[in-house]
Coordinates of all heavy atoms in Angstrom, one line a residue:
F16 N -0.2 18.0 -11.9 CA -0.3 19.3 -11.3 C 0.4 20.4 -12.1 O -0.1 21.5 -12.4 CB 0.4 19.3 -9.9 CG 0.4 20.6 -9.2 CD1 -0.7 21.1 -8.5 CD2 1.6 21.4 -9.2 CE1 -0.6 22.3 -7.9 CE2 1.7 22.6 -8.6 CZ 0.6 23.1 -7.9
S19 N -1.6 21.0 -15.4 CA -2.9 21.7 -15.2 C -2.6 23.2 -14.9 O -3.2 24.1 -15.5 CB -3.6 21.1 -14.1 OG -3.9 19.7 -14.3
T20 N -1.7 23.5 -14.0 CA -1.4 24.9 -13.7 C -0.8 25.6 -14.8 O -1.1 26.8 -15.0 CB -0.6 24.9 -12.4 OG1 0.6 24.1 -12.6 CG2 -1.3 24.4 -11.2
V23 N -3.5 26.6 -17.4 CA -4.3 27.8 -16.9 C -3.5 29.0 -16.9 O -3.9 30.1 -17.3 CB -4.9 27.5 -15.5 CG1 -5.7 28.7 -15.0 CG2 -5.8 26.3 -15.6
F24 N -2.2 28.9 -16.5 CA -1.3 30.1 -16.5 C -1.1 30.7 -17.9 O -1.2 31.9 -18.1 CB 0.0 29.6 -15.9 CG 0.9 30.8 -15.6 CD1 0.9 31.3 -14.3 CD2 1.8 31.3 -16.5 CE1 1.7 32.4 -13.9 CE2 2.7 32.4 -16.2 CZ 2.6 32.9 -14.9
M27 N -4.3 32.5 -19.0 CA -4.6 33.8 -18.4 C -3.5 34.9 -18.7 O -3.8 36.1 -18.7 CB -4.6 33.6 -16.8 CG -5.8 32.8 -16.4 SD -7.4 33.4 -16.9 CE -7.4 35.1 -16.3
Y69 N 6.3 31.7 -10.5 CA 5.0 31.4 -9.8 C 5.2 30.1 -9.0 O 4.7 30.0 -7.9 CB 3.9 31.3 -10.8 CG 2.6 30.8 -10.2 CD1 1.8 31.6 -9.5 CD2 2.2 29.4 -10.4 CE1 0.6 31.1 -8.9 CE2 1.0 29.0 -9.9 CZ 0.2 29.8 -9.1 OH -0.9 29.3 -8.5
I92 N -8.6 34.7 -1.4 CA -9.2 33.3 -1.4 C -9.6 32.9 0.0 O -10.6 32.3 0.2 CB -8.2 32.3 -2.0 CG1 -7.9 32.7 -3.5 CG2 -8.7 30.9 -1.9 CD1 -6.9 31.8 -4.2
V261 N -16.3 31.3 -3.9 CA -15.2 31.1 -4.9 C -15.8 31.3 -6.3 O -15.2 31.9 -7.2 CB -14.5 29.8 -4.8 CG1 -13.6 29.5 -5.9 CG2 -13.8 29.7 -3.5
V265 N -14.3 34.0 -8.9 CA -13.8 33.6 -10.2 C -14.4 34.5 -11.3 O -13.7 34.9 -12.2 CB -14.0 32.1 -10.5 CG1 -13.6 31.8 -11.9 CG2 -13.1 31.3 -9.6
A275 N -3.9 36.4 -11.6 CA -3.3 35.8 -10.5 C -4.4 35.1 -9.6 O -4.2 34.1 -9.0 CB -2.5 36.8 -9.6
T276 N -5.5 35.8 -9.5 CA -6.6 35.2 -8.7 C -7.1 33.9 -9.3 O -7.4 32.9 -8.6 CB -7.8 36.2 -8.6 OG1 -7.3 37.4 -8.0 CG2 -8.9 35.7 -7.7
V277 N -7.4 33.9 -10.6 CA -7.9 32.7 -11.3 C -6.9 31.6 -11.2 O -7.2 30.4 -10.9 CB -8.2 33.0 -12.8 CG1 -8.6 31.8 -13.5 CG2 -9.2 34.1 -12.9
V278 N -5.6 31.9 -11.4 CA -4.6 30.8 -11.4 C -4.5 30.3 -9.9 O -4.3 29.1 -9.7 CB -3.2 31.3 -11.9 CG1 -2.1 30.3 -11.7 CG2 -3.3 31.7 -13.3
G279 N -4.6 31.2 -8.9 CA -4.5 30.7 -7.6 C -5.6 29.8 -7.2 O -5.4 28.8 -6.5
I280 N -6.8 30.1 -7.6 CA -8.0 29.3 -7.3 C -7.9 28.0 -8.0 O -8.2 26.9 -7.4 CB -9.3 30.0 -7.7 CG1 -9.5 31.3 -6.8 CG2 -10.5 29.1 -7.6 CD1 -10.7 32.1 -7.2
V281 N -7.5 28.0 -9.3 CA -7.4 26.7 -10.0 C -6.3 25.8 -9.4 O -6.5 24.6 -9.3 CB -7.1 27.0 -11.5 CG1 -6.7 25.7 -12.2 CG2 -8.3 27.7 -12.2
T282 N -5.2 26.4 -9.0 CA -4.2 25.7 -8.3 C -4.7 24.9 -7.1 O -4.4 23.7 -6.9 CB -3.0 26.6 -7.9 OG1 -2.5 27.2 -9.1 CG2 -1.9 25.8 -7.2
L283 N -5.5 25.6 -6.3 CA -6.1 25.0 -5.1 C -7.1 23.9 -5.5 O -7.1 22.8 -4.9 CB -6.8 26.1 -4.3 CG -7.4 25.7 -3.0 CD1 -6.4 25.1 -2.0 CD2 -8.2 26.8 -2.3
L284 N -7.8 24.1 -6.6 CA -8.8 23.1 -7.0 C -8.1 21.9 -7.5 O -8.6 20.7 -7.4 CB -9.7 23.7 -8.0 CG -10.7 24.8 -7.6 CD1 -11.6 25.2 -8.7 CD2 -11.5 24.3 -6.4
V285 N -7.0 22.1 -8.2 CA -6.2 20.9 -8.7 C -5.7 20.0 -7.6 O -5.8 18.8 -7.7 CB -5.0 21.4 -9.6 CG1 -4.1 20.3 -9.9 CG2 -5.5 22.0 -10.9
V286 N -5.3 20.7 -6.5 CA -4.8 19.9 -5.4 C -6.0 19.1 -4.8 O -5.9 18.0 -4.4 CB -4.2 20.9 -4.3 CG1 -3.9 20.1 -3.0 CG2 -2.9 21.5 -4.9
V287 N -7.2 19.8 -4.7 CA -8.4 19.1 -4.1 C -8.7 17.9 -5.0 O -9.0 16.8 -4.5 CB -9.5 20.1 -4.0 CG1 -10.8 19.4 -3.7 CG2 -9.2 21.2 -3.0
Y288 N -8.7 18.1 -6.3 CA -9.1 17.0 -7.2 C -8.1 15.8 -7.1 O -8.5 14.6 -7.0 CB -9.0 17.4 -8.7 CG -10.4 18.0 -9.2 CD1 -10.6 19.3 -9.4 CD2 -11.4 17.1 -9.5 CE1 -11.8 19.8 -9.9 CE2 -12.6 17.5 -9.9 CZ -12.8 18.9 -10.1 OH -14.0 19.3 -10.6

Side-chain angles (χ1 to χ4, degrees):
F16 176 81
S19 303
T20 54
V23 176
F24 193 90
M27 294 307 303
Y69 172 75
I92 296 177
V261 171
V265 170
T276 304
V277 177
V278 175
I280 293 175
V281 171
T282 299
L283 185 59
L284 294 182
V285 169
V286 174
V287 172
Y288 270 107

